Short mmCIF file of all heavy atoms in Angstrom, two decimals:
data_model
loop_
_atom_site.label_atom_id
_atom_site.label_comp_id
_atom_site.label_asym_id
_atom_site.label_seq_id
_atom_site.Cartn_x
_atom_site.Cartn_y
_atom_site.Cartn_z
N TRP A 2 0.77 -1.18 0.05
CA TRP A 2 0.04 0.05 -0.08
C TRP A 2 0.87 1.32 -0.01
O TRP A 2 0.50 2.17 -0.71
CB TRP A 2 -0.96 -0.06 1.17
CG TRP A 2 -2.08 -0.91 1.04
CD1 TRP A 2 -2.43 -2.03 1.79
CD2 TRP A 2 -3.19 -0.72 0.01
NE1 TRP A 2 -3.60 -2.65 1.24
CE2 TRP A 2 -4.04 -1.75 0.25
CE3 TRP A 2 -3.40 0.27 -0.93
CZ2 TRP A 2 -5.14 -1.88 -0.58
CZ3 TRP A 2 -4.56 0.05 -1.75
CH2 TRP A 2 -5.46 -1.09 -1.72
N ILE A 3 1.99 1.17 0.73
CA ILE A 3 2.86 2.33 0.63
C ILE A 3 3.47 2.55 -0.65
O ILE A 3 3.50 3.72 -1.28
CB ILE A 3 4.08 2.12 1.65
CG1 ILE A 3 3.58 2.30 3.06
CG2 ILE A 3 5.17 3.11 1.52
CD1 ILE A 3 4.55 1.80 4.18
N GLY A 4 3.83 1.41 -1.32
CA GLY A 4 4.40 1.60 -2.82
C GLY A 4 3.21 2.20 -3.64
O GLY A 4 3.64 3.04 -4.53
N LEU A 5 2.00 1.73 -3.55
CA LEU A 5 0.97 2.37 -4.47
C LEU A 5 0.72 3.79 -4.20
O LEU A 5 0.54 4.59 -5.08
CB LEU A 5 -0.34 1.43 -4.24
CG LEU A 5 -0.34 0.16 -4.82
CD1 LEU A 5 -1.60 -0.75 -4.36
CD2 LEU A 5 -0.26 0.03 -6.34
N VAL A 6 0.62 4.21 -2.90
CA VAL A 6 0.31 5.63 -2.59
C VAL A 6 1.45 6.43 -2.98
O VAL A 6 1.21 7.49 -3.55
CB VAL A 6 0.20 5.61 -0.97
CG1 VAL A 6 0.20 7.23 -0.66
CG2 VAL A 6 -1.19 5.01 -0.58
N VAL A 7 2.67 6.06 -2.81
CA VAL A 7 3.93 6.82 -3.15
C VAL A 7 3.94 6.97 -4.73
O VAL A 7 4.19 7.99 -5.28
CB VAL A 7 5.23 6.21 -2.73
CG1 VAL A 7 6.43 6.97 -3.31
CG2 VAL A 7 5.29 6.34 -1.17
N ALA A 8 3.67 5.87 -5.52
CA ALA A 8 3.66 5.94 -6.91
C ALA A 8 2.65 6.79 -7.40
O ALA A 8 2.87 7.52 -8.41
CB ALA A 8 3.38 4.40 -7.44
N TRP A 9 1.40 6.93 -6.91
CA TRP A 9 0.47 7.76 -7.23
C TRP A 9 0.60 9.26 -6.89
O TRP A 9 0.34 10.24 -7.74
CB TRP A 9 -1.11 7.31 -6.79
CG TRP A 9 -1.68 6.30 -7.66
CD1 TRP A 9 -1.75 5.01 -7.43
CD2 TRP A 9 -2.14 6.56 -8.93
NE1 TRP A 9 -2.43 4.33 -8.35
CE2 TRP A 9 -2.71 5.16 -9.30
CE3 TRP A 9 -2.29 7.63 -9.75
CZ2 TRP A 9 -3.20 4.98 -10.64
CZ3 TRP A 9 -2.82 7.32 -11.04
CH2 TRP A 9 -3.36 6.16 -11.47
N PHE A 10 1.18 9.50 -5.70
CA PHE A 10 1.25 10.89 -5.11
C PHE A 10 2.63 11.35 -5.09
O PHE A 10 2.89 12.37 -4.40
CB PHE A 10 0.58 11.08 -3.82
CG PHE A 10 -0.97 10.63 -3.84
CD1 PHE A 10 -1.39 9.39 -3.43
CD2 PHE A 10 -1.83 11.45 -4.54
CE1 PHE A 10 -2.66 8.95 -3.50
CE2 PHE A 10 -3.21 11.12 -4.49
CZ PHE A 10 -3.69 9.91 -4.09
N GLY A 11 3.50 10.54 -5.63
CA GLY A 11 4.92 10.96 -5.46
C GLY A 11 5.51 11.90 -6.65
O GLY A 11 6.76 12.00 -6.76
N GLY A 12 4.67 12.25 -7.53
CA GLY A 12 5.03 13.10 -8.64
C GLY A 12 4.96 12.31 -9.91
O GLY A 12 4.78 11.16 -10.07
N ALA A 13 5.08 13.16 -10.98
CA ALA A 13 4.93 12.66 -12.41
C ALA A 13 5.87 11.58 -12.74
O ALA A 13 5.64 10.77 -13.60
CB ALA A 13 5.04 13.77 -13.39
N THR A 14 7.15 11.55 -12.01
CA THR A 14 8.16 10.58 -12.32
C THR A 14 7.65 9.13 -12.14
O THR A 14 7.91 8.17 -12.91
CB THR A 14 9.45 10.75 -11.45
OG1 THR A 14 9.91 12.06 -11.73
CG2 THR A 14 10.49 9.79 -11.82
N TYR A 15 6.67 8.99 -11.13
CA TYR A 15 6.35 7.67 -10.68
C TYR A 15 5.03 7.26 -11.26
O TYR A 15 4.45 6.32 -11.08
CB TYR A 15 6.30 7.58 -9.18
CG TYR A 15 7.64 7.68 -8.46
CD1 TYR A 15 7.59 8.56 -7.37
CD2 TYR A 15 8.75 7.14 -8.89
CE1 TYR A 15 8.88 8.79 -6.67
CE2 TYR A 15 9.89 7.33 -8.32
CZ TYR A 15 10.01 8.27 -7.12
OH TYR A 15 11.16 8.49 -6.61
N ARG A 16 4.30 8.27 -11.98
CA ARG A 16 2.91 7.99 -12.52
C ARG A 16 2.82 6.78 -13.41
O ARG A 16 1.90 6.09 -13.25
CB ARG A 16 2.49 9.31 -13.21
CG ARG A 16 0.91 9.30 -13.34
CD ARG A 16 0.15 9.14 -11.95
NE ARG A 16 0.58 9.93 -10.96
CZ ARG A 16 0.20 11.22 -10.78
NH1 ARG A 16 -0.73 11.69 -11.70
NH2 ARG A 16 0.53 11.93 -9.83
N PRO A 17 3.79 6.59 -14.27
CA PRO A 17 3.73 5.39 -15.19
C PRO A 17 3.68 4.11 -14.35
O PRO A 17 2.92 3.06 -14.68
CB PRO A 17 4.87 5.43 -16.16
CG PRO A 17 5.20 7.00 -16.20
CD PRO A 17 4.90 7.43 -14.78
N LEU A 18 4.52 4.07 -13.36
CA LEU A 18 4.54 2.84 -12.50
C LEU A 18 3.21 2.70 -11.68
O LEU A 18 2.74 1.52 -11.57
CB LEU A 18 5.69 3.08 -11.41
CG LEU A 18 5.83 1.88 -10.48
CD1 LEU A 18 6.14 0.61 -11.11
CD2 LEU A 18 6.83 2.24 -9.39
N ALA A 19 2.61 3.88 -11.33
CA ALA A 19 1.36 3.84 -10.56
C ALA A 19 0.27 3.11 -11.46
O ALA A 19 -0.52 2.16 -11.05
CB ALA A 19 0.96 5.25 -10.18
N TRP A 20 0.27 3.59 -12.71
CA TRP A 20 -0.67 3.00 -13.79
C TRP A 20 -0.39 1.52 -13.99
O TRP A 20 -1.43 0.70 -14.05
CB TRP A 20 -0.75 3.91 -15.12
CG TRP A 20 -1.55 5.05 -14.97
CD1 TRP A 20 -1.09 6.34 -14.99
CD2 TRP A 20 -2.93 5.14 -14.99
NE1 TRP A 20 -2.00 7.34 -15.03
CE2 TRP A 20 -3.23 6.54 -14.94
CE3 TRP A 20 -3.96 4.28 -14.95
CZ2 TRP A 20 -4.47 7.11 -14.91
CZ3 TRP A 20 -5.26 4.65 -14.97
CH2 TRP A 20 -5.58 6.10 -14.91
N LEU A 21 0.79 1.17 -14.19
CA LEU A 21 1.11 -0.11 -14.36
C LEU A 21 0.72 -1.08 -13.30
O LEU A 21 0.14 -2.15 -13.52
CB LEU A 21 2.60 -0.22 -14.55
CG LEU A 21 3.21 -1.60 -14.77
CD1 LEU A 21 2.65 -2.37 -16.15
CD2 LEU A 21 4.75 -1.69 -14.77
N LEU A 22 1.04 -0.66 -11.85
CA LEU A 22 0.71 -1.59 -10.84
C LEU A 22 -0.81 -1.59 -10.69
O LEU A 22 -1.41 -2.68 -10.48
CB LEU A 22 1.36 -0.97 -9.57
CG LEU A 22 2.99 -0.98 -9.53
CD1 LEU A 22 3.40 -0.27 -8.28
CD2 LEU A 22 3.35 -2.45 -9.65
N THR A 23 -1.60 -0.49 -10.76
CA THR A 23 -2.95 -0.53 -10.61
C THR A 23 -3.69 -1.37 -11.64
O THR A 23 -4.51 -2.13 -11.36
CB THR A 23 -3.49 0.90 -10.58
OG1 THR A 23 -2.76 1.69 -9.62
CG2 THR A 23 -4.99 0.96 -10.26
N LEU A 24 -3.36 -1.05 -12.86
CA LEU A 24 -3.94 -1.84 -13.95
C LEU A 24 -3.65 -3.34 -13.95
O LEU A 24 -4.48 -4.19 -14.13
CB LEU A 24 -3.64 -1.41 -15.27
CG LEU A 24 -4.17 0.07 -15.56
CD1 LEU A 24 -3.66 0.56 -16.97
CD2 LEU A 24 -5.66 0.08 -15.58
N GLY A 25 -2.37 -3.60 -13.67
CA GLY A 25 -2.03 -4.98 -13.40
C GLY A 25 -2.61 -5.72 -12.25
O GLY A 25 -3.08 -6.88 -12.46
N LEU A 26 -2.78 -5.16 -11.05
CA LEU A 26 -3.37 -5.73 -9.94
C LEU A 26 -4.95 -5.80 -10.21
O LEU A 26 -5.52 -6.94 -10.01
CB LEU A 26 -3.31 -4.84 -8.75
CG LEU A 26 -1.78 -4.78 -8.08
CD1 LEU A 26 -1.71 -3.71 -7.11
CD2 LEU A 26 -1.60 -6.09 -7.40
N LEU A 27 -5.65 -4.78 -10.60
CA LEU A 27 -7.03 -4.89 -10.89
C LEU A 27 -7.34 -5.86 -12.06
O LEU A 27 -8.42 -6.62 -11.94
CB LEU A 27 -7.51 -3.59 -11.08
CG LEU A 27 -7.58 -2.53 -9.83
CD1 LEU A 27 -8.13 -1.32 -10.39
CD2 LEU A 27 -8.32 -3.06 -8.82
N GLY A 28 -6.61 -5.83 -13.11
CA GLY A 28 -6.97 -6.68 -14.16
C GLY A 28 -6.82 -8.12 -13.90
O GLY A 28 -7.63 -8.79 -14.39
N HIS A 29 -5.71 -8.56 -13.22
CA HIS A 29 -5.64 -9.96 -12.99
C HIS A 29 -6.54 -10.38 -11.87
O HIS A 29 -7.03 -11.58 -11.92
CB HIS A 29 -4.04 -10.32 -12.56
CG HIS A 29 -3.29 -10.20 -13.76
ND1 HIS A 29 -2.57 -9.12 -14.07
CD2 HIS A 29 -2.95 -11.11 -14.74
CE1 HIS A 29 -1.76 -9.36 -15.19
NE2 HIS A 29 -2.01 -10.63 -15.50
N LEU A 30 -6.87 -9.59 -10.93
CA LEU A 30 -7.90 -9.96 -9.95
C LEU A 30 -9.20 -10.12 -10.55
O LEU A 30 -9.98 -11.08 -10.34
CB LEU A 30 -7.92 -8.94 -8.80
CG LEU A 30 -8.91 -9.31 -7.64
CD1 LEU A 30 -8.58 -10.56 -6.90
CD2 LEU A 30 -8.97 -8.10 -6.68
#
């Protein structure tokens, strides 16, 4: 959860990672 929050709110640098993790988690579940 810390990783997801930081990826989403840690700035534009981490935004692609946030999308990748979120879509990957929700898609496979």
Side-chain angles (χ1 to χ4, degrees):
W2 282 114
I3 290 174
L5 287 173
V6 170
V7 171
W9 274 111
F10 300 104
T14 303
Y15 303 133
R16 195 57 52 81
L18 177 62
W20 278 109
L21 175 65
L22 292 175
T23 302
L24 293 177
L26 288 166
L27 293 179
H29 286 95
L30 182 61

